[in-house]
Amino acid sequence: MRSARIALCALLISGAVGLSPATASSTSATRSAFALSSTAFADGGVIPKVHECTSGGGSDPGKRNESPPLTWSGAPSTAKSYAIVMRDLDNSNLIHWIIYDIAASTTSLPQNVDHAYRPSAPAGARQVYYRGSASLYGYQGPCSPSTVNTYEFVVHALNEASLTRLNSSSSTRAAAREIDAATIGSTRITGKS
């Protein structure tokens, strides 16, 4: 029994030695290459007030309901377009924002994307109508005045150039299903507000 254990240990050690560090790190790099960031807040950090909602009836002029700037890199080379989904993770994953049909050549969104079905930037993109504490197309910022909630921004790389089954009356749930079905890779950041 002892000799069998020694042989097994020797086999495991020789197998581990056979793995090159370059192979291990390139596999890890491939998995973590797709990355998302914002100049407005660090991953896991506090989302500034300018990105909070204005629908709560408050009079704080700092709450302007502007979408944050987002930048991504390292997406799968086969991506034909992008979509972004923002959720409140502490409120039953409530969807606050969906923008899709973002061209594959695009790698960032500016701050304050228009509240329109077809915003002026990025060209060709479309947004889902938010039905909740506000009624508008596009971004609805954090609205949690009595709690600190975590909001997740996910960039989805899609295998379709356009989600043609969606239109100006599509619900957030329908849009999320279409995006999930077409996703070939994704990256995320979170912020607290």
Side-chain angles (χ1 to χ4, degrees):
M1 184 73 171
R2 178 175 151 80
S3 63
R5 282 190 193 149
I6 291 171
L8 179 60
C9 287
L11 181 63
L12 290 173
I13 290 169
S14 67
V17 170
L19 288 176
S20 90
T23 304
S25 67
S26 73
T27 303
S28 173
T30 301
R31 265 188 263 125
S32 62
F34 196 9
L36 172 62
S37 64
S38 177
T39 56
F41 60 94
D43 187 18
V46 175
I47 298 172
K49 280 188 173 289
V50 68
H51 306 298
E52 290 183 358
C53 76
T54 54
S55 62
S59 58
D60 185 344
K63 296 180 179 182
R64 298 202 302 259
N65 205 35
E66 294 182 3
S67 61
L70 298 171
T71 301
W72 56 94
S73 61
S77 59
T78 54
K80 295 182 179 175
S81 71
Y82 298 104
I84 297 173
V85 179
M86 174 195 172
R87 296 177 188 269
D88 180 345
L89 299 183
D90 295 313
N91 187 10
S92 305
N93 290 323
L94 178 68
I95 297 173
H96 274 245
W97 184 30
I98 295 182
I99 181 170
Y100 61 98
D101 285 1
I102 300 169
S105 59
T106 302
T107 58
S108 66
L109 288 187
Q111 180 167 320
N112 198 22
V113 172
D114 302 340
H115 290 280
Y117 173 58
R118 293 186 182 273
S120 58
R126 297 185 286 162
Q127 299 185 102
V128 176
Y129 194 77
Y130 178 86
R131 295 165 178 87
S133 54
S135 295
L136 46 75
Y137 280 103
Y139 179 82
Q140 172 64 356
C143 284
S144 47
S146 58
T147 61
V148 175
N149 289 9
T150 300
Y151 294 84
E152 175 188 63
F153 296 80
V154 179
V155 174
H156 296 263
L158 307 181
N159 63 7
E160 297 180 39
S162 180
L163 298 178
T164 57
R165 292 168 299 283
L166 299 177
N167 58 46
S168 61
S169 60
S170 295
S171 69
T172 54
R173 286 185 183 188
R177 279 193 303 272
E178 291 290 327
I179 290 165
D180 285 343
T183 295
I184 55 173
S186 64
T187 182
R188 66 189 282 273
I189 59 169
T190 62
K192 297 189 180 302
S193 178

